[in-house]
Amino acid sequence: MADCILRAQSAPGQVLYSALRKIINYIFSLEQFDNEKLAKYLRCLLKATLPSEPEFPLKVMEDICRLVKQCVSSEKPIPSREVEWFTTTAFNHGVDLYGANEDELSKKWIAHALTLAHYHQDGGDLERELQKRQISLKWDS
């Protein structure tokens, strides 16, 4: 079913988000998969909703931030490469929105990127790099 939804080129963001979210939740309850698998499903959900209305990928990103934060000190944290992918995707999307003069959305995405970078277990390198890059952005509002 998820494959059909993903292949539907004109699926509204709400339908895409709701259907895929339900599928992920259902699979999670059946299989009890680990955080690595959950992160991969959330990556797919984010990629699928990113071109849709802004509220849906933002909901996914909020879920991702919550998950990463909750799992950072657990026995099975979200894999570093997934956290890095989420972080750079959020930051790059924020920069794209900045370039499109969508200042408020841009700030939200950059804030999510900085949150995720804080929890990326690389000694703070990614967080410092993104903070340096954020400083160069000059929002109107």
Side-chain angles (χ1 to χ4, degrees):
M1 183 167 164
D3 190 46
C4 291
I5 294 168
L6 289 170
R7 290 178 191 264
Q9 301 213 354
S10 61
Q14 172 64 44
V15 171
L16 192 61
Y17 173 79
S18 296
L20 292 176
R21 188 68 198 194
K22 285 178 185 173
I23 291 168
I24 291 169
N25 289 344
Y26 186 70
I27 292 170
F28 185 74
S29 69
L30 286 178
E31 295 182 14
Q32 291 299 313
F33 51 74
D34 61 17
N35 290 335
E36 184 171 359
K37 197 169 191 179
L38 180 57
K40 288 180 182 180
Y41 279 106
L42 288 172
R43 180 195 279 226
C44 288
L45 182 58
L46 181 61
K47 286 172 81 172
T49 58
L50 211 49
S52 70
E53 299 88 3
E55 67 187 277
F56 303 113
L58 267 174
K59 286 181 183 182
V60 177
M61 186 52 65
E62 288 164 5
D63 290 342
I64 290 167
C65 287
R66 214 172 6 264
L67 178 69
V68 169
K69 192 175 185 177
Q70 287 172 353
C71 295
V72 73
S73 59
S74 72
E75 289 180 20
K76 294 194 175 191
I78 303 299
S80 181
R81 69 184 171 281
E82 293 294 337
V83 176
E84 185 175 341
W85 186 90
F86 291 134
T87 304
T88 55
T89 298
F91 193 86
N92 289 341
H93 191 62
V95 170
D96 289 344
L97 291 165
Y98 172 82
N101 294 316
E102 294 281 350
D103 290 352
E104 291 309 309
L105 279 173
S106 174
K107 289 176 187 177
K108 288 178 183 179
W109 281 91
I110 299 285
H112 286 310
L114 291 169
T115 296
L116 291 169
H118 178 75
Y119 292 105
H120 186 250
Q121 298 176 342
D122 67 344
D125 293 340
L126 183 58
E127 185 176 20
R128 280 189 296 278
E129 183 61 33
L130 293 184
Q131 286 171 341
K132 281 193 288 188
R133 292 173 188 257
Q134 179 197 21
I135 291 170
S136 68
L137 301 175
K138 308 290 184 220
W139 286 285
D140 291 336
S141 51

